Amino acid sequence: MRWYVVAALLTVLTSSQGILTTLSQSNGGYKYDYATVPFLAEVFKLLVSSVFLWREMQNSPPPKMTMDWKSVRLYPIPSIIYLIHNNVQFATLTYVDTSTYQIMGNLKIVTTGILFRLFLKRKLTNLQWMAIILLAVGTTTSQVKGCGEASCDSFFSSPIQGYLFGALSACLSALAGVYTEFLMKKNNDSLYWQNVQLYTFGSIFNMGRLLMDDFRSGFEEGPWWQRIFNGYNTTTWLVVLNLGTTGLLVSWLMKYADNIVKVYATSMAMLLTMVLSVILFNFKPTVQLFLGIIICMMSLHMYFAPPSTLVDLPLTVKPVSESVSEVPAERKTDS
């Protein structure tokens, strides 16, 4: 499958994620425990990957599977990074409002490019760096509200701790993505075997979070496994399937493409979500949204288009010596 087909699917699924989550609400809240959704999504990804791995093992020769503990022990690290990242997110939101947090979240676009260069040793051209910065500017522009609104003032009035936690959150998000790409590409193991390892630890860590929530609440509503499906309906299951399928597509991109493709797909998804919100939720489009879309499309073209289509190269002029040597012999003798 072509990487741009997977990236397009990821864009559509990611954009529908927020819409489905909104539709799963009832009277402005959730009837189900939202912490169970990531856990069930991890279990879904684990089951799908296990089935595909089993099918691969029926073939000859069987897929490559590294079972050395030195390799396996690296796979819990992304889950640990994401666990820390989630806690940093909550810490950030105690100091800044939601609008400021969303704008600061665009830092991960640039930090992904930096870590992509530092840890994976992948060199980016000057045009590609400019495209990445343009992408961050475009997504930020689309999220900025009118300067006459309170949110414009709130961005500059948050305490310094909020900005520090926001920067740390962006770095952790980028680090998790870059490290996952390193894991997927460090050997020729089967993609589905690597997924099984990632999602096994992901399921364990999400289960641990559910247990921690139970201990914090003193088991008032009973253990999580007794109420895991409480409040679930068709839309909630679509949220789980969407989240799980998105994770599988991301792992494919990490294996066969790279983090920058994922960043573009998720950034375009955010813009697509805003456009769909105009249709579905009577969201009022703004000039900033249209400007952001134009800037992001320019960035997309700059990053992936061949340099020859972006820059007019000067016509090559033959040296004088070459033109003289190409003069016919009879012309030379006549002179």
Side-chain angles (χ1 to χ4, degrees):
M1 191 182 293
R2 302 282 186 176
W3 66 264
Y4 48 81
V5 176
V6 177
L9 286 173
L10 178 61
T11 299
V12 173
L13 287 176
T14 304
S15 65
S16 61
Q17 203 170 93
I19 294 172
L20 286 172
T21 304
T22 302
L23 292 174
S24 71
Q25 293 179 351
S26 178
N27 298 323
Y30 300 105
K31 288 186 176 180
Y32 59 93
D33 183 359
Y34 188 73
T36 60
V37 173
F39 170 71
L40 291 174
E42 291 293 316
V43 173
F44 170 76
K45 291 185 286 186
L46 178 59
L47 291 175
V48 171
S49 299
S50 299
V51 170
F52 278 102
L53 179 62
W54 176 79
R55 289 184 60 184
E56 272 192 344
M57 293 176 68
Q58 307 307 308
N59 299 331
S60 181
K64 183 181 177 184
M65 297 166 56
T66 303
M67 298 185 182
D68 181 27
W69 170 244
K70 290 182 179 180
S71 175
V72 174
R73 69 183 180 182
L74 300 176
Y75 283 84
I77 295 177
S79 298
I80 295 172
I81 296 174
Y82 279 121
L83 183 65
I84 298 171
H85 172 254
N86 291 337
N87 289 319
V88 172
Q89 277 184 315
F90 283 110
T92 306
L93 287 168
T94 60
Y95 293 102
V96 302
D97 59 21
T98 306
S99 300
T100 303
Y101 176 77
Q102 288 179 337
I103 292 172
M104 291 177 63
N106 295 317
L107 281 172
K108 68 184 177 190
I109 297 173
V110 179
T111 53
T112 297
I114 295 172
L115 295 178
F116 188 73
R117 176 69 182 90
L118 292 177
F119 290 103
L120 299 180
K121 308 299 182 185
R122 300 284 294 276
K123 188 175 181 181
L124 299 174
T125 65
N126 291 336
L127 276 175
Q128 288 176 324
W129 276 115
M130 291 171 62
I132 289 174
I133 294 172
L134 265 183
L135 181 64
V137 171
T139 52
T140 302
T141 301
S142 67
Q143 293 169 340
V144 173
K145 297 182 180 179
C147 285
E149 300 183 25
S151 61
C152 190
D153 297 328
S154 66
F155 181 78
F156 300 101
S157 60
S158 301
I160 188 65
Q161 295 96 321
Y163 298 112
L164 292 176
F165 276 122
L168 179 59
S169 176
C171 290
L172 287 171
S173 177
L175 179 61
V178 170
Y179 183 82
T180 302
E181 182 179 345
F182 162 75
L183 278 183
M184 304 301 279
K185 291 180 176 176
K186 75 183 185 72
N187 55 36
N188 294 322
D189 279 7
S190 163
L191 168 64
Y192 304 115
W193 167 239
Q194 292 176 317
N195 280 349
V196 165
Q197 296 174 87
L198 276 174
Y199 302 141
T200 297
F201 289 111
S203 300
I204 292 171
F205 278 96
N206 276 278
M207 189 189 302
R209 181 196 169 183
L210 291 172
L211 280 172
M212 287 177 63
D213 290 343
D214 282 345
F215 278 109
R216 286 173 183 168
S217 63
F219 290 89
E220 291 180 356
E221 299 178 3
W224 64 270
W225 58 85
Q226 290 182 1
R227 51 182 171 79
I228 187 170
F229 301 123
N230 288 356
Y232 269 61
N233 54 30
T234 303
T235 308
T236 314
W237 281 111
L238 287 175
V239 173
V240 173
L241 292 176
N242 181 291
L243 194 59
T245 307
T246 299
L248 292 170
L249 292 176
V250 168
S251 70
W252 192 97
L253 286 177
M254 294 296 185
K255 182 76 170 179
Y256 300 111
D258 57 46
N259 259 282
I260 304 299
V261 174
K262 187 203 81 170
V263 165
Y264 268 95
T266 52
S267 298
M268 295 301 166
M270 181 188 64
L271 297 176
L272 181 58
T273 301
M274 292 182 180
V275 174
L276 292 175
S277 297
V278 173
I279 302 170
L280 298 175
F281 304 116
N282 296 321
F283 176 77
K284 292 183 179 180
T286 62
V287 175
Q288 292 91 326
L289 174 59
F290 289 113
L291 288 175
I293 291 173
I294 293 171
I295 294 171
C296 288
M297 295 306 293
M298 291 171 59
S299 168
L300 184 68
H301 182 63
M302 281 181 64
Y303 189 91
F304 292 104
S308 58
T309 64
L310 300 173
V311 181
D312 291 330
L313 300 176
L315 296 174
T316 55
V317 181
K318 293 183 178 180
V320 177
S321 58
E322 288 186 19
S323 59
V324 171
S325 63
E326 291 177 1
V327 175
E330 58 270 16
R331 289 283 303 274
K332 291 184 181 178
T333 54
D334 290 344
S335 60

